[in-house]
Amino acid sequence: MRGKKKIRIAAAVAAALFAVYTVFVYFLVSACLVPSFMDKLDAFEDITRKCYSEQVQTADIKENRTQLLSETEEWLEKAERRKVQVRTADGYLLTAAEFPAESGEAGENGDKWVLLLHGYTGWKEEMYQFACWYHGQGYSVLVPDLRCQGESEGDFIGMGWTDHFDCELWTSYILEQSPEAQIVLHGQSMGAAAALIMAGSPEVSDHIKAVVSDSAYTSGYEMFGDKITEWFHLPAAPFVDSACVMLRLRGGYNLKDASPLRAVKSSGIPTLFIHGDEDRMIDVNMSYELFEAAACEKELFIVEGAGHAQAQDKSPDLYYGRIGEFLDRYL
């Protein structure tokens, strides 16, 4: 009897520990991927402060950024803008801003479009400075809030995986407006990951002609593990694998699927990889790794002295000049 009692006690303790662990993993997933939960923890403010502290704060970057933002504000006052929405298969309403090309600005071989994709915990307005440049080059521009961010609905940030399915909806929207559209995917950070995953998909549209990948990571799984260590001072194992199980149950996707590195090995779409060599958030070596693995026509552009997603601020003329030259070859 005494032995059975010990077994029951041990089983009860194990069940309690498992319950506590499950609740903690639930917390980790919510704290990293659910914006409404992150708001309650003030996580957005913490992330913003940390991101700012890890950026390069040189005088030229600050001056260039101020100038770019000023030019963007002037453009926004004059540019035609429309709010557009699509609904996902799982019922979420996604929102984007559309900036139609000015009359007479379409390319000779069909309308030129760019789909601009922001990063983790971001919003579409962060990409308006890029929209300003593309619009000036004759492109129609579509800038969505990725699911669960900005004005778009959703339960979990997609780390590029669910986002690449959502971008297929935006591609369909573009083709409804311009059946002969030539589309560029331009993303930063998580947005770049989504663009790369989309480009490597077997179902990718023939209308997508080029990708600009700025500060992409190789793996959503790896990034999630890094954040668990960085934010909560915990080892990635076993928590990241447990989080993957929890996310599959709650969000319906596996972090291991969010793999730009695997996607580029199957991509046939010309891709320009951009990264700052002083990026402290996503190591520049990830872009080197993506570039080496990519099966498509490709170029690598490393900007000296730039931090995470700061290449355009470090050297705007060089940044946009390099993008312009790259796209001229494929559109």
Side-chain angles (χ1 to χ4, degrees):
M1 294 296 293
R2 186 175 299 175
K4 290 182 178 180
K5 184 177 181 179
K6 288 182 178 180
I7 291 173
R8 286 196 296 269
I9 293 173
V13 170
L17 290 174
F18 179 77
V20 170
Y21 182 77
T22 300
V23 170
F24 184 67
V25 172
Y26 186 100
F27 169 84
L28 285 178
V29 171
S30 298
C32 294
L33 297 176
V34 181
S36 60
F37 190 87
M38 297 167 79
D39 276 336
K40 295 176 183 178
L41 299 175
D42 294 327
F44 274 126
E45 289 78 5
D46 292 341
I47 291 170
T48 299
R49 284 193 295 269
K50 185 167 184 58
C51 289
Y52 183 81
S53 68
E54 291 183 342
Q55 293 291 62
V56 177
Q57 305 294 342
T58 55
D60 59 338
I61 286 179
K62 292 179 180 179
E63 182 178 348
N64 289 335
R65 180 162 182 78
T66 298
Q67 179 64 31
L68 289 170
L69 292 177
S70 176
E71 293 173 357
T72 300
E73 288 299 321
E74 292 179 8
W75 168 70
L76 285 170
E77 292 177 1
K78 303 173 184 178
E80 179 185 354
R81 183 181 354 176
R82 295 197 284 258
K83 180 178 179 178
V84 296
Q85 295 180 311
V86 296
R87 190 170 294 277
T88 67
D90 49 355
Y92 299 119
L93 192 64
L94 307 179
T95 299
E98 178 186 351
F99 299 90
E102 296 180 1
S103 178
E105 292 289 334
E108 294 180 1
N109 299 318
D111 293 341
K112 295 188 295 184
W113 283 75
V114 61
L115 184 60
L116 292 171
L117 307 174
H118 65 75
Y120 173 75
T121 69
W123 49 87
K124 59 184 177 297
E125 287 78 9
E126 294 179 340
M127 303 302 288
Y128 281 178
Q129 63 172 304
F130 305 97
C132 175
W133 180 82
Y134 276 102
H135 197 257
Q137 305 303 307
Y139 286 77
S140 291
V141 182
L142 192 63
V143 195
D145 280 320
L146 300 182
R147 74 162 51 199
C148 207
Q149 296 162 92
E151 295 182 79
S152 289
E153 297 175 351
D155 289 330
F156 296 91
I157 293 173
M159 296 304 293
W161 178 249
T162 53
D163 307 297
H164 95 278
F165 291 115
D166 295 341
C167 287
E168 291 175 359
L169 297 176
W170 291 122
T171 299
S172 296
Y173 171 82
I174 291 172
L175 294 176
E176 289 173 3
Q177 316 309 308
S178 303
E180 301 301 321
Q182 300 179 89
I183 304 171
V184 176
L185 304 178
H186 181 142
Q188 274 198 328
S189 194
M190 189 183 79
L196 294 174
I197 293 171
M198 188 178 181
S201 168
E203 292 80 27
V204 66
S205 171
D206 292 337
H207 291 268
I208 295 177
K209 302 300 183 182
V211 175
V212 178
S213 168
D214 187 339
S215 309
Y217 49 75
T218 54
S219 164
Y221 175 87
E222 184 176 345
M223 289 301 298
F224 191 86
D226 288 345
K227 296 312 173 189
I228 286 176
T229 300
E230 181 180 344
W231 295 345
F232 301 103
H233 308 290
L234 297 169
F239 295 105
V240 66
D241 286 316
S242 299
C244 283
V245 174
M246 179 68 70
L247 188 57
R248 291 193 71 173
L249 294 172
R250 294 177 62 196
Y253 79 95
N254 189 341
L255 274 172
K256 292 181 179 180
D257 290 332
S259 175
L261 184 61
R262 181 168 63 243
V264 297
K265 296 176 182 179
S266 302
S267 175
I269 298 175
T271 301
L272 173 61
F273 296 92
I274 302 173
H275 219 113
D277 71 345
E278 294 190 27
D279 193 332
R280 301 185 188 98
M281 296 177 63
I282 298 177
D283 196 286
V284 64
N285 287 321
M286 287 194 171
S287 274
Y288 280 110
E289 192 173 354
L290 288 165
F291 175 77
E292 291 298 328
C296 56
E297 295 186 53
K298 57 194 176 182
E299 290 184 17
L300 180 64
F301 177 34
I302 304 300
V303 180
E304 294 183 3
H308 184 63
Q310 285 186 303
Q312 75 285 349
D313 297 330
K314 180 63 180 178
S315 185
D317 292 340
L318 186 61
Y319 181 87
Y320 288 114
R322 186 67 177 268
I323 292 173
E325 292 173 1
F326 178 78
L327 296 180
D328 283 346
R329 286 196 285 277
Y330 300 106
L331 277 77

